[in-house]
Amino acid sequence: MSFILTTALERSANRSLPEPLSGAVTTALEHLRKGCFQRSLCLVVSATSVASGLEVGYEHYKGSYSNPVMYTPVALSAALAGAGLLGFFSGVAARTLLRWISVITLADGIIGFFFHIRGVARKPGGWKLPVTNIVMGPPIFAPLLFGTSAYLGLMASYLRREEDLHSVAGRVHNAISEFAPGKADWRTNLRYGRFQKHLSSVTVLWAFFSGFEALYSHYKANFRYKAQWSPVLLTPLVMAAGIGAVKSRRIANTALPAASALALADGAIGFYYHVRGITRRPGGVKKPLYNTLYGPPVFAPLLFAACGFLGLMASLLRREKK
């Protein structure tokens, strides 16, 4: 019998934790496994949208908003944060408003990726000097990473509400879903928490994007601190675990959560170091706006942590129906 992470966590919680806490842990794991965590993910979407909106807002401010399209991610991040909050209170808002704003935000990230590529190409030497112009030009994968919260919002729009898990209709639908023959479409898989392989694939892509961003961002700082190598070294580990998780349930329940937990912790530690870097600039906290603008990108490590979050979520979900 193959190792299942959620089953192992439930047994560990029942053995080691007092009753109220162990019950909460097992209930949360069941919600994740059955795809009934729409409200919770809506709150995550709202919080991540605020962080990514602030990050892109001050990065584009440094670019003087020279192109009107630079305002779009700032506006969309606010809209997505609001839609996430509405989705927490209303299932209708989650299935409609949150879904469409997420789609528009994802499209905006793809368009922004094109503009960043064009910005690199327009620098002196263009793509004939790829290393120099990628390092000194606009952060090439940042617009795609901006779509992280939008991707989570789109995912949340297809999930079920937490209260649906133990409702009569929810139990009937669960039984039908479990025993229905044939291959389910992606919407059904997502609705019932069966998208482990898909989310593992997304983790691989996001790890590559955020790892590349960390590489050239820290390269510009000449890797002054040894800790700056950590996201660069963890990136191939997370990518390998994600690729393995697509092919193997055992890897998805063992190597992927381990690598993802390291990435999540590394992103949190990196956030602390970036905040510390800002406070150590001349003027420190007395000049918060100036030092945030021209210090290390304060929320960038959280984008790497988001890869760990995606990987951990994938490890707790069920496999797609074949």
Side-chain angles (χ1 to χ4, degrees):
M1 184 177 178
S2 60
F3 175 79
I4 304 297
L5 179 61
T6 51
T7 303
L9 290 174
E10 286 177 353
R11 289 174 180 171
S12 178
N14 289 328
R15 286 196 307 265
S16 307
L17 299 176
E19 175 53 34
L21 190 55
S22 64
V25 171
T26 55
T27 300
L29 290 171
E30 188 177 9
H31 279 125
L32 282 166
R33 190 169 58 247
K34 297 296 180 65
C36 295
F37 57 101
Q38 187 181 75
R39 288 179 183 271
S40 303
L41 195 55
C42 282
L43 288 180
V44 172
V45 169
S46 187
T48 55
S49 296
V50 171
S52 60
L54 290 171
E55 182 78 10
V56 74
Y58 78 70
E59 288 291 340
H60 285 178
Y61 177 83
K62 289 193 288 186
S64 303
Y65 287 96
S66 55
N67 191 323
V69 77
M70 296 169 79
Y71 286 100
T72 58
V74 180
L76 284 171
S77 64
L80 190 60
L85 283 177
L86 287 175
F88 173 80
F89 293 105
S90 168
V92 174
R95 293 189 298 271
T96 55
L97 184 64
L98 178 60
R99 181 176 301 174
W100 287 109
I101 291 179
S102 297
V103 169
I104 294 169
T105 304
L106 283 170
D108 185 75
I110 295 170
I111 294 169
F113 177 57
F114 161 75
F115 276 104
H116 280 218
I117 289 176
R118 191 183 70 168
V120 172
R122 287 184 170 183
K123 290 187 72 66
W127 288 105
K128 294 179 181 179
L129 298 172
V131 175
T132 301
N133 287 336
I134 287 176
V135 169
M136 303 308 297
I140 192 167
F141 289 122
L144 298 179
L145 288 169
F146 171 73
T148 303
S149 54
Y151 171 79
L152 292 174
L154 186 62
M155 182 194 304
S157 72
Y158 287 100
L159 293 172
R160 292 180 294 163
R161 313 287 281 180
E162 281 81 348
E163 57 268 26
D164 291 342
L165 179 64
H166 298 297
S167 67
V168 174
R171 291 176 179 176
V172 172
H173 290 154
N174 280 336
I176 294 173
S177 172
E178 290 294 335
F179 298 105
K183 182 179 179 180
D185 64 12
W186 66 269
R187 295 178 184 85
T188 303
N189 281 330
L190 185 55
R191 185 168 175 78
Y192 290 94
R194 294 194 195 91
F195 53 107
Q196 187 178 75
K197 292 191 287 186
H198 168 78
L199 196 55
S200 297
S201 302
V202 173
T203 301
V204 174
L205 287 176
W206 256 249
F208 173 76
F209 296 152
S210 58
F212 189 88
E213 291 288 300
L215 173 62
Y216 83 73
S217 179
H218 291 169
Y219 175 81
K220 287 195 290 186
N222 295 317
F223 287 97
R224 183 179 176 184
Y225 302 102
K226 292 180 180 179
Q228 293 178 324
W229 284 102
S230 59
V232 179
L233 296 175
L234 280 174
T235 294
L237 181 64
V238 176
M239 291 179 65
I243 293 169
V246 175
K247 299 181 179 295
S248 167
R249 183 196 297 268
R250 177 170 288 276
I251 293 176
N253 285 272
T254 53
L256 181 60
S260 299
L262 287 174
L264 186 61
D266 188 74
I269 294 169
F271 176 65
Y272 161 76
Y273 274 111
H274 281 218
V275 171
R276 191 184 70 169
I278 290 170
T279 60
R280 287 185 172 184
R281 288 178 60 83
V285 294
K286 295 180 180 179
K287 296 183 177 180
L289 181 59
Y290 181 86
N291 285 334
T292 299
L293 285 173
Y294 296 102
V298 64
F299 293 115
L302 297 182
L303 294 173
F304 189 73
C307 300
F309 175 78
L310 291 174
L312 283 175
M313 189 188 301
S315 68
L316 297 172
L317 295 168
R318 294 182 291 173
R319 308 287 280 184
E320 290 84 340
K321 274 193 171 183
K322 296 181 180 178

